[in-house]
Amino acid sequence: MTGEGPRDGKGTEKTPTDSELSARLRRLETQIERKRPKAAPDPSLRARNGGSSSLGQALTLSTEFVAGVIAGGILGWIVDHVFGTKPWGLIVLLMLGFVAGVYNVMRVSGFSGARPERRDRQEP
């Protein structure tokens, strides 16, 4: 019980080498990684890695909606002046612009079945 005795009980003291210790450490690390649950990706890293920030996404959605309403209003005004249908062209096309704006917001945000197109990338 002095601490100087053999470890394996046969009278010889066996000390593991550095390579054996490294191999055991690698085995232990792989076992820990297998048992550890997969962590969800950090949402704060998504914005830095090329994803859009919340403010950018909000501006995109509001721009899509406002553009649809303004385009419908302008087209309605033009139709009224060309065909003399005041105020029906403006009313009808303003409502269509509103519907188009809502559809664009749904398309960009991912709530509809249509997939948003990437404007910054061209197809080969």
Side-chain angles (χ1 to χ4, degrees):
M1 291 277 157
T2 61
E4 296 177 13
R7 290 186 179 176
D8 60 357
K10 295 182 183 176
T12 60
E13 186 173 334
K14 185 177 181 183
T15 57
T17 62
D18 287 339
S19 61
E20 290 173 343
L21 289 175
S22 296
R24 288 170 67 185
L25 181 62
R26 280 191 301 266
R27 263 194 326 264
L28 180 62
E29 286 174 348
T30 56
Q31 288 175 356
I32 289 173
E33 286 298 321
R34 276 190 231 135
K35 293 185 180 186
R36 182 178 295 157
K38 300 291 182 194
D42 189 10
S44 63
L45 295 177
R46 180 177 55 98
R48 288 186 222 137
N49 293 335
S52 61
S53 67
S54 297
L55 179 61
Q57 189 174 12
L59 288 173
T60 301
L61 294 176
S62 62
T63 302
E64 291 284 341
F65 178 72
V66 170
V69 174
I70 289 175
I74 290 173
L75 288 174
W77 183 77
I78 291 172
V79 166
D80 280 342
H81 276 46
V82 170
F83 296 111
T85 58
K86 287 185 184 175
W88 295 107
L90 180 64
I91 292 171
V92 169
L93 287 175
L94 196 61
M95 281 196 248
L96 284 175
F98 177 81
V99 170
V102 170
Y103 176 72
N104 282 338
V105 168
M106 290 175 61
R107 180 182 52 85
V108 170
S109 64
F111 284 123
S112 70
R115 296 182 58 116
E117 295 179 14
R118 298 284 310 240
R119 296 181 187 171
D120 58 343
R121 190 171 55 171
Q122 293 181 351
E123 297 295 323

